[in-house]
Amino acid sequence: MIAAAAEILDEEGIAGLSVRAIADRAKTSTIGVYSHFGGKKGVLNALYISGFEQLGASVEDVRRENTGASHERILLAIDAYLEFEARKPRLYALMFDAQGDRFQPDPEATRAARAAFVKLVAVFLAARPDWSRVHAARIAFESWALVHGLVMLRTHQTLKQSPAAWQRTVRSAARNYLFGAMNDRINRPK
Amino acid sequence: MIAAAAEILDEEGIAGLSVRAIADRAKTSTIGVYSHFGGKKGVLNALYISGFEQLGASVEDVRRENTGASHERILLAIDAYLEFEARKPRLYALMFDAQGDRFQPDPEATRAARAAFVKLVAVFLAARPDWSRVHAARIAFESWALVHGLVMLRTHQTLKQSPAAWQRTVRSAARNYLFGAMNDRINRPK
DNA sequence: TCATGATCATAACAACGTTATGGTTGAGTA
DNA sequence: TACTCAACCATAACGTTGTTATGATCATGA
C-alpha cells in the first residue's frame, strides 16, 4: 500500500494523494489505510521516513565509496543529495514541507530525519577528521541549509538551468561557503 | 477581508484558513470570498503578494537607511529578513510552500516575489558597487538560499536557540559564504 | 469448537472549496 | 422617475475529502 502511495505522489503530487486514491491503487477499500497506517497521516509519515532513509542511504554510499580529496567528498555527497531531489522532487517536497500546520511528522519520522542528518555529518567527519563533532555538525548543517535553500529557491523562482549547470552552481556556492567556513577564525569579511 | 484572512493565518495557520472561517471573521458569507477574490486561491495569492511586499519593503528600508560598511549592510538586510520571518512565520511558510501541487502562485504573485528579490539584489549592489549586476544577483540569490535554508531547517530539525543566538548563527554562516564568494577566483577549496 | 483480534466492505458523517439560485442595492441612462 | 444592468450578497446544494461507524469475514490460539 505504501508503494501505491509513493506512485501516486510521484505521478500526481500531494494533491492527488487522497485516501480513496491510495485505496483504489492498492485495490482495497479505504479502511485499509486506517487499519494499516492509522489514516492519512500515517501514510504521510511512512513516505517521510522512506524519503529520509533513501536520502541517508545515498549520502552514506558516498561516505563509504569515496576516499578522495576531502572537499571533493563533501561535494559528492551534495551531488547525491541533488540527485535524490531531482529523482523524487515530490517526495522531497513532502519531506521538507514548510507548512507544519498541515502535516507534522510523528516522533519516529522525526528520528528518521535526524538519522539522515547524522549520516551527512559522518561525511563531513570522514572528509575532515581534524574537526570536532560539534564543528562538523555545524558545518554540515549550514551546508545542508545552503543546498536545501538553493533547491527550494530554484523551484520558487522557476530558474531554468540544465541539470549539469545547476550542479555546477550548487557546487560553486558550497565551495564558497566551505572556503569561508575553513577560514572562519582567520579571515572574516569586514 | 484580506485582513481577516491574515489574522486567521497568523493565529491558526494554513489549516484554519478555510473559506467559511474567512467569511465568518469578515462578517459576511462565503460568497464574498468568491466575488472579491475569485475563491480561496485568490485569497492565498493576495496573502502571498502582501508577504513579499512586506519582505521587500523591510529589505529596502535597510538599503535606504544604511551607508555603513558594505558587508554589514548585507548582514543588516539578512537581519531584516530574519525579523520578518520571526514576526510572521506562517505567512513566510505560505510564501515558500514547497508543495507546488497545492498552491501555485499566479503571475502577479510571482512578479511580487521577483520584485522582492530585485530589492535584495539592490542591497548587494549598494554594498558592492564594484560588482556587476549579474554577479550581485548571483551572490544575492545564493545568500538568500543560505538564509532561507537555515530558516527552514531550523524549524525542520526543531532547533532550540534564543533569537539572539540564532541571529549570530545566521550571520556567521552568511559571512563565511560571503568571504568565500569574494575570494572565489583566487582561492578555491580543493 | 469457540473466542478474540485483525482486517475488510460499505455507508454515513462533518468539513472543505465551489457552484447554483434568487434577492438586494447602487449607478447609469432614457 | 422608471428601468436596466452590474455588483454584491445569503443560502442551499454539490462533489470531494478524511474519518468514523457498522457489520461481516478470516485467521489464530486455547
Side-chain angles (χ1 to χ4, degrees):
Chain A
M1 192 175 288
I2 198 64
E7 279 173 25
I8 295 168
L9 181 64
D10 283 348
E11 292 168 14
E12 296 170 49
I14 196 70
L17 196 67
S18 69
V19 171
R20 286 170 178 82
I22 297 166
D24 285 347
R25 185 162 300 216
K27 299 186 165 38
T28 179
S29 67
T30 59
I31 196 68
V33 176
Y34 293 89
S35 50
H36 287 268
F37 294 97
K40 180 162 178 182
K41 188 173 190 291
V43 174
L44 296 177
N45 272 317
L47 290 170
Y48 187 102
I49 288 166
S50 166
F52 276 106
E53 282 174 351
Q54 288 176 53
L55 185 58
S58 66
V59 168
E60 195 158 39
D61 284 348
V62 169
R63 180 175 62 79
R64 263 197 274 104
E65 292 165 10
N66 289 280
T67 53
S70 62
H71 282 206
E72 186 58 25
R73 270 196 266 183
I74 291 171
L75 294 177
L76 285 171
I78 287 168
D79 291 341
Y81 190 97
L82 292 181
E83 193 269 335
F84 172 78
E85 192 274 337
R87 214 174 5 98
K88 302 272 187 182
R90 282 164 161 155
L91 181 56
Y92 187 91
L94 171 65
M95 290 151 65
F96 292 98
D97 193 347
Q99 299 280 8
D101 297 317
R102 275 206 186 109
F103 166 63
Q104 196 72 355
D106 67 16
E108 186 194 349
T110 301
R111 279 195 292 275
R114 290 273 169 78
F117 177 61
V118 168
K119 285 174 184 173
L120 180 66
V121 174
V123 172
F124 282 72
L125 277 171
R128 295 298 304 250
D130 52 311
W131 284 347
S132 71
R133 185 168 294 273
V134 169
H135 188 60
R138 183 188 136 204
I139 304 299
F141 178 79
E142 291 174 5
S143 302
W144 183 9
L146 176 59
V147 174
H148 174 62
L150 286 166
V151 166
M152 290 288 103
L153 289 189
R154 180 195 191 204
T155 304
H156 192 264
Q157 298 279 319
T158 59
L159 295 190
K160 310 270 194 259
Q161 247 180 339
S162 74
W166 173 242
Q167 183 185 19
R168 283 195 298 273
T169 295
V170 177
R171 273 182 162 238
S172 166
R175 273 198 294 260
N176 286 338
Y177 166 73
L178 289 169
F179 180 76
M182 274 193 312
N183 293 279
D184 198 346
R185 293 202 198 91
I186 303 168
N187 300 290
R188 212 162 261 216
K190 309 264 178 210
Chain B
M1 192 175 288
I2 198 65
E7 278 173 27
I8 294 167
L9 181 65
D10 283 348
E11 293 167 16
E12 296 169 50
I14 196 72
L17 196 67
S18 69
V19 171
R20 286 169 177 82
I22 297 167
D24 285 348
R25 183 159 304 211
K27 298 186 165 39
T28 181
S29 67
T30 60
I31 198 66
V33 177
Y34 293 90
S35 52
H36 288 267
F37 294 97
K40 181 162 177 182
K41 188 171 188 289
V43 174
L44 296 178
N45 273 316
L47 290 170
Y48 186 101
I49 288 167
S50 166
F52 275 106
E53 283 174 352
Q54 290 176 53
L55 185 59
S58 66
V59 168
E60 195 157 41
D61 285 347
V62 169
R63 181 175 61 80
R64 263 197 274 101
E65 291 164 11
N66 289 281
T67 52
S70 63
H71 282 207
E72 187 57 27
R73 270 196 266 180
I74 291 172
L75 294 177
L76 286 171
I78 287 168
D79 290 342
Y81 190 96
L82 292 182
E83 192 270 335
F84 172 77
E85 193 273 337
R87 215 177 0 100
K88 302 272 184 177
R90 280 161 162 158
L91 181 55
Y92 187 89
L94 170 64
M95 289 152 65
F96 292 99
D97 193 346
Q99 298 281 5
D101 296 318
R102 273 205 186 108
F103 166 63
Q104 197 73 346
D106 66 16
E108 186 194 350
T110 301
R111 278 193 295 274
R114 290 272 169 78
F117 176 60
V118 168
K119 285 173 184 172
L120 181 66
V121 175
V123 172
F124 281 73
L125 277 171
R128 295 298 304 251
D130 51 311
W131 283 347
S132 70
R133 186 167 293 273
V134 169
H135 189 60
R138 182 187 138 207
I139 304 300
F141 179 77
E142 291 175 5
S143 301
W144 183 9
L146 175 60
V147 174
H148 174 62
L150 287 166
V151 166
M152 290 289 101
L153 289 188
R154 180 196 192 204
T155 304
H156 192 265
Q157 297 278 321
T158 59
L159 295 189
K160 311 274 194 260
Q161 246 179 340
S162 73
W166 174 241
Q167 184 185 20
R168 283 196 299 273
T169 294
V170 177
R171 272 180 162 240
S172 165
R175 273 198 294 256
N176 286 338
Y177 166 73
L178 289 169
F179 180 75
M182 274 193 312
N183 292 280
D184 198 347
R185 292 204 199 88
I186 303 170
N187 298 291
R188 216 166 255 219
K190 310 253 183 221

